[in-house]
Amino acid sequence: MRPSTPAAPGPEVSTDPDRAVAILRAGGLVAIPTETVYGLAADAQNSRSVRRVFEAKGRPADHPLIVHVAGLDELDPWVESVPDRARVLAARWWPGPLTLLLRRSERVLDDVTGGRDTVAVRSPDHPLTIEVLRRFGGGVVAPSANRFGRVSPTSASDVVAELGPALHLVLDGGPCSVGVESTIVDLTHDVPAVLRRGGVTPEELADVLGVEVAVSGSDAAIIAPGMVASHYAPDAAITVLDPAAPDVEVVETVTELLVTTPGVGVLAPRRVDGLPVGAVELDPGGGPDDFARVLYSRLREADARGLDKLVVVPPPAEGIGAAVHDRLRRAAHRD
Ligand code: AMP
Ligand code: MG
């Protein structure tokens, strides 16, 4: 019998916040759980560590990073001033899936903002990560823990598969509860503007602020620096149907694709009647919240099962459904 090859050493996987703090202090990279997706965290005040994040992700330097802090009390050092609107929104949604774009303070590194005079800050809602941020005392940059342009990870094992050797530690906090990235709202102009859709809707923001909220080029290919047309892309080519597409239309689309491709998957919020033999049904769970929560892991599953094409029937484009539509549009886009 031939001796088996030892497995490549993976990153340490732990549930101990103190391990994460020690590694962050030493300038290392730690994957952290959040309610949205797993983040690739590094000390936001250590420019070498921040550059390592860009290298590990293969992310272009002009795609700015979000600074993550323990709560509203920790916002002040990062921004020129805390406007009332920021206080109101943070009081309502922090910790939670809302990122605030504000004028930056002197201490924010150019590496973090790509030299901009603004900084994006949020407080993530996950007990382990809040504990890390409290004990660490500072802020961490934490872009999604995936290679640039690929599907964001929503579990510790997805992180290991995605970035394994580049990481010093994966803090395992279980599966993410929201599943898509935070809403980003720009508070640096008279009219607040949503730059990226997420768990908090523009309507909710407008309600709480009592002012009109713009959605920056909701259909534009690029609505914020770093928000490129093609993103969150699995290997499988994606066809997005209308949320109201009847079963016959799904069946027709799948049947047509099966003529030229053997591996065709379907992600629809219900069992589709009459699918041809060979079509692989993936399960998006019950309602729109479930759909968002499991979307990225189903895209990964499509790749793991060797599917070439995936036909998706999304939930209606309301609430979190609008964020799902945004991610699917980018996942389906091919440059
Ligand atoms: P990610 O870290 O992958 O969730 O992506 C963070 C996104 O936040 C970036 O791609 C930008 O779209 C946005 N962002 C972060 N900082 C800024 C900034 N200073 N100005 C404008 N957009 C920003
Ligand atoms: Mg990302």
Side-chain angles (χ1 to χ4, degrees):
M1 219 173 69
R2 286 192 324 175
S4 58
T5 328
E12 181 186 340
V13 178
S14 163
T15 56
D16 178 6
D18 284 329
R19 276 298 292 151
V21 171
I23 291 172
L24 290 169
R25 290 215 171 110
L29 301 187
V30 179
I32 54 168
T34 82
E35 80 285 27
T36 59
V37 303
Y38 272 73
L40 176 57
D43 181 355
Q45 288 290 92
N46 179 335
S47 101
R48 247 186 72 136
S49 307
V50 172
R51 278 188 228 140
R52 275 178 156 179
V53 168
F54 282 96
E55 268 165 43
K57 281 182 62 76
R59 175 158 164 148
D62 61 350
H63 287 225
L65 304 178
I66 297 172
V67 175
H68 292 62
V69 296
L72 181 55
D73 294 349
E74 304 291 328
L75 175 59
D76 202 57
W78 303 95
V79 298
E80 199 175 68
S81 65
V82 181
D84 286 344
R85 286 174 180 175
R87 257 178 236 293
V88 169
L89 294 182
R92 167 70 180 78
W93 275 290
W94 281 10
L98 181 66
T99 296
L100 306 177
L101 191 72
L102 297 163
R103 301 239 165 265
R104 64 182 267 193
S105 68
E106 290 289 320
R107 88 197 290 250
V108 183
L109 298 173
D110 280 339
D111 298 302
V112 171
T113 67
R116 288 177 182 74
D117 61 0
T118 53
V119 63
V121 189
R122 98 167 177 108
S123 178
D125 189 11
H126 192 290
L128 267 185
T129 289
I130 292 177
E131 205 44 51
V132 170
L133 290 169
R134 281 217 186 96
R135 294 183 199 182
F136 180 62
V140 302
V141 293
S144 51
N146 53 278
R147 282 169 295 117
F148 180 65
R150 306 294 298 193
V151 180
S152 305
T154 51
S155 71
S157 57
D158 287 350
V159 173
V160 174
E162 191 57 39
L163 288 178
L167 298 167
H168 300 100
L169 179 79
V170 178
L171 193 61
D172 186 351
C176 301
S177 58
V178 174
V180 292
E181 294 79 358
S182 60
T183 301
I184 302 177
V185 62
D186 181 352
L187 295 178
T188 64
H189 302 286
D190 287 346
V191 178
V194 168
L195 304 184
R196 177 171 75 186
R197 287 182 185 272
V200 178
T201 66
E203 296 74 23
E204 289 176 300
L205 294 171
D207 255 11
V208 167
L209 289 175
V211 297
E212 171 199 353
V213 170
V215 179
S216 189
S218 55
D219 247 352
I222 297 176
I223 63 174
M227 292 219 57
V228 286
S230 172
H231 211 85
Y232 318 110
D235 293 329
I238 296 185
T239 305
V240 185
L241 299 182
D242 192 90
D247 283 5
V248 282
E249 186 183 336
V250 183
V251 170
E252 218 173 85
T253 308
V254 171
T255 308
E256 233 165 71
L257 290 172
L258 275 170
V259 174
T260 51
T261 338
V264 179
V266 182
L267 183 65
R270 55 172 192 272
R271 283 207 79 82
V272 177
D273 268 342
L275 277 178
V277 179
V280 178
E281 275 188 283
L282 304 180
D283 181 8
D289 288 338
D290 282 337
F291 201 107
R293 192 169 46 74
V294 302
L295 174 64
Y296 291 147
S297 63
R298 293 300 172 267
L299 297 184
R300 283 173 187 277
E301 186 184 342
D303 285 348
R305 294 174 75 157
L307 301 177
D308 305 301
K309 312 257 173 178
L310 183 64
V311 176
V312 184
V313 182
E318 297 148 13
I320 190 91
V324 167
H325 279 248
D326 168 73
R327 303 311 191 271
L328 282 170
R329 191 162 53 237
R330 293 170 206 281
H333 187 94
R334 291 285 185 267
D335 291 317

